[in-house]
Amino acid sequence: MAGQSFDVIVIGAGPGGYVAAIRASQLGLKVAIVERENLGGICLNWGCIPTKAMLRSAEVFHLMHRAKEFGLGATGISYDLPAVVARSRGVAKQLSGGIGHLMKKNKVTVFMGAATIPAKGTVAVTTDKGVETLTAKSIVLATGARARELPGLEADGDLVWAYRDALVAKRMPKKLLVIGSGAIGIEFASFFNTLGADTTVVEVMDRILPVEDAEIAAFAKKSFVKQGMKILEKAAVKKLDRKPGVGVTAHIEQDGKTTTQDFDTVISAVGIVGNVENLGLEALGVKIDRTHVVTDEYCRTGVEGLYAIGDIAGAPWLAHKASHEGVMVAELIAGKHPHPIKPNSIAGCTYCQPQIASVGFTEAKAKEAGHEIKVGRFPFIGNGKAIALGEAEGMIKTIFDAKTGELLGAHMVGAEVTELIQGYVIGRTLETTEEDLMNTVFPHPTLSEMMHEAVLDAYGRALHI
């Protein structure tokens, strides 16, 4: 086929790629996007969005069981797993279709196929019609990542599930083992545990949710255990004996001892690896470190005209980081002067019950970085709205630089904290101090008032505890 030329070619149509394409088009550039599977990528089709839809079903189910507390009656409460999965898939499909509409609206040419970069400025796309050669001065790699597979613990879709299998669960696990307690592992553990699975989480690090503040992780653990989850820390699954049609015997090592336990289902959530293969990156001279493309703060790869954004460019592996990088790179290509992204000002959110959200330094990391700190805490039990909602379990923690009053970090666990965290994110972006936050009038009655109180508490001024 005759080659087509563009100003920008984006490889991968996830939240990084499709946003980069939209922004580049808004800036007057001629843009093509290549996607081998689904518009919207993993996030929209097999990650962030469908998992939130499933977790919402679990949350409603949980609330139905609490009806009596609210003066309500609900009997014969049950769930229909295929219907829960179908709703989740429907939500993903609706949004994926929306991306197709956005591409048309922004005049982005979509090529469905697998891309390689045979030479600088050239992309070969293998479609069902053959190979199409595209050229562009700028190429943006947004190929994302996939589940890491550990030898012997590989997913088989039957007894051992990766996140994709869990999202289209064919059965309800009775006894579930979740390997890994990062956001993905904990969200699935929370979902299936809420629906009644006997759930065990195994984490190799010394605590679950290892990237979160230790105090918040400990609070969450207590809550999970109260909900019936079993949590094994500093433990590793060494081997899985699979018995098709029966289940799995897991060999779990903890404190130098190995024990065996039987499960009918295992979910492996032990991290991700970047999709860097079969693109031709090595031949171009792109540096790859542990399956991730090495870039500078502007997502440049060191190969002229080639950028890498999102999961393929390394941590934090978050959709909103990818989207923001996509906008930054599009502006850079168009000759603008965007600010580089500060990873430490990107919030992380985990949608388990209770929810967890954080931004900036943990207490330990702030001390490690040499800051003298002031720490404030405020419990949900001291907040009128939380009590009215029947969600009195949780806390908000703030960390300030004792000398300058800079907000170094904020950490939350409890109902709706994923929606609250943006207040502190904006604060960090505006380089706020404790004084600005103290002088802000928070509306009453809201959960957000706790954000004010947690700041006041760092300076010994909390009003409601």
Side-chain angles (χ1 to χ4, degrees):
M1 287 188 179
Q4 294 187 51
S5 97
F6 296 89
D7 296 317
V8 184
I9 300 167
V10 181
I11 302 175
Y18 85 73
V19 167
I22 290 171
R23 186 67 188 123
S25 182
Q26 284 175 349
L27 291 164
L29 300 169
K30 187 183 176 194
V31 187
I33 195 161
V34 184
E35 172 54 55
R36 67 181 181 187
E37 198 175 1
N38 306 106
L39 294 177
I42 292 297
C43 172
L44 219 148
N45 295 280
W46 295 103
C48 335
I49 301 297
T51 51
K52 300 308 112 30
M54 286 174 82
L55 285 156
R56 176 65 170 159
S57 293
E59 185 185 7
V60 173
F61 182 69
H62 171 72
L63 277 172
M64 287 162 80
H65 280 91
R66 294 178 56 195
K68 207 172 165 191
E69 279 177 52
F70 297 93
L72 306 171
T75 52
I77 301 160
S78 64
Y79 63 84
D80 173 349
L81 188 61
V84 169
V85 168
R87 176 179 181 269
S88 163
R89 300 315 307 148
V91 169
K93 192 173 176 218
Q94 181 183 340
L95 287 164
S96 184
I99 305 301
H101 169 71
L102 284 172
M103 295 297 97
K104 273 196 193 78
K105 184 185 160 198
N106 288 282
K107 300 182 179 59
V108 173
T109 310
V110 177
F111 293 89
M112 295 304 290
T116 56
I117 309 171
K120 209 164 69 169
T122 306
V123 175
V125 186
T126 306
T127 68
D128 45 16
K129 292 182 190 132
V131 178
E132 178 126 18
T133 305
L134 317 174
T135 56
K137 203 168 148 195
S138 302
I139 296 170
V140 181
L141 287 170
T143 54
R146 60 186 185 277
R148 181 188 294 281
E149 300 249 276
L150 294 181
L153 312 183
E154 297 92 349
D156 54 38
D158 176 25
L159 298 171
V160 183
W161 297 350
Y163 59 82
R164 282 197 183 212
D165 308 306
L167 277 170
V168 288
K170 293 178 188 69
R171 63 167 187 275
M172 177 63 196
K174 289 184 189 69
K175 199 155 182 254
L176 172 67
L177 170 64
V178 177
I179 308 172
S181 77
I184 296 171
I186 283 295
E187 286 184 1
F188 280 124
S190 189
F191 172 77
F192 287 111
N193 189 68
T194 301
L195 293 189
D198 177 353
T199 306
T200 300
V201 177
V202 171
E203 172 53 58
V204 74
M205 306 291 278
D206 60 357
R207 60 188 173 85
I208 61 162
L209 298 156
V211 302
E212 298 297 339
D213 185 85
E215 197 177 345
I216 298 294
F219 189 105
K221 178 187 172 180
K222 216 160 142 186
S223 183
F224 298 149
V225 169
K226 201 165 141 193
Q227 292 168 43
M229 254 187 234
K230 292 169 199 68
I231 290 173
L232 305 177
E233 291 159 327
K234 282 204 250 186
V237 177
K238 289 296 182 191
K239 199 168 91 165
L240 295 175
D241 301 331
R242 306 171 198 229
K243 299 165 199 144
V246 183
V248 173
T249 300
H251 298 250
I252 302 167
E253 186 182 77
Q254 193 180 28
D255 302 326
K257 291 194 287 285
T258 301
T259 55
T260 59
Q261 281 191 54
D262 292 333
F263 299 92
D264 61 81
T265 311
V266 178
I267 294 176
S268 174
V270 289
I272 62 170
V273 290
N275 293 322
V276 290
E277 306 87 351
N278 309 321
L279 287 160
L281 300 182
E282 292 83 354
L284 290 168
V286 173
K287 280 197 198 73
I288 294 169
D289 176 31
R290 287 165 296 182
T291 81
H292 293 93
V293 172
V294 178
T295 65
D296 69 4
E297 61 181 352
Y298 286 104
C299 295
R300 295 179 290 216
T301 62
V303 173
E304 196 197 347
L306 186 64
Y307 303 82
I309 63 172
D311 287 356
I312 194 183
W317 295 293
L318 299 164
H320 42 286
K321 172 248 196 190
S323 298
H324 217 83
E325 285 179 340
V327 168
M328 176 187 73
V329 164
E331 293 188 351
L332 206 59
I333 291 167
K336 308 261 181 227
H337 301 282
H339 292 289
I341 285 154
K342 298 183 186 127
N344 207 13
S345 288
I346 296 170
C349 296
T350 308
Y351 297 79
C352 43
Q353 267 182 305
Q355 292 183 5
I356 296 155
S358 57
V359 67
F361 286 108
T362 62
E363 187 177 342
K365 286 266 190 289
K367 284 177 184 162
E368 237 173 75
H371 293 278
E372 198 183 308
I373 59 171
K374 281 187 182 290
V375 178
R377 297 170 184 84
F378 195 82
F380 272 50
I381 194 78
N383 177 265
K385 178 74 181 287
I387 294 167
L389 287 175
E391 299 288 358
E393 267 194 38
M395 71 174 284
I396 292 181
K397 176 175 178 176
T398 55
I399 300 155
F400 291 91
D401 184 293
K403 293 192 182 78
T404 65
E406 181 194 350
L407 174 65
L408 296 173
H411 307 272
M412 312 178 175
V413 56
E416 299 305 332
V417 294
T418 56
E419 294 290 346
L420 294 178
I421 193 68
Q422 51 77 23
Y424 289 133
V425 176
I426 292 168
R428 275 182 60 76
T429 302
L430 297 177
E431 297 181 0
T432 196
T433 63
E434 90 290 4
E435 203 177 325
D436 301 322
L437 290 166
M438 285 182 187
N439 289 333
T440 301
V441 182
F442 286 73
H444 174 79
T446 64
L447 296 175
S448 71
E449 290 171 276
M450 293 186 282
M451 296 167 65
H452 193 217
E453 291 272 15
V455 174
L456 293 171
D457 183 58
Y459 291 84
R461 289 177 48 181
L463 299 166
H464 290 92
I465 40 165

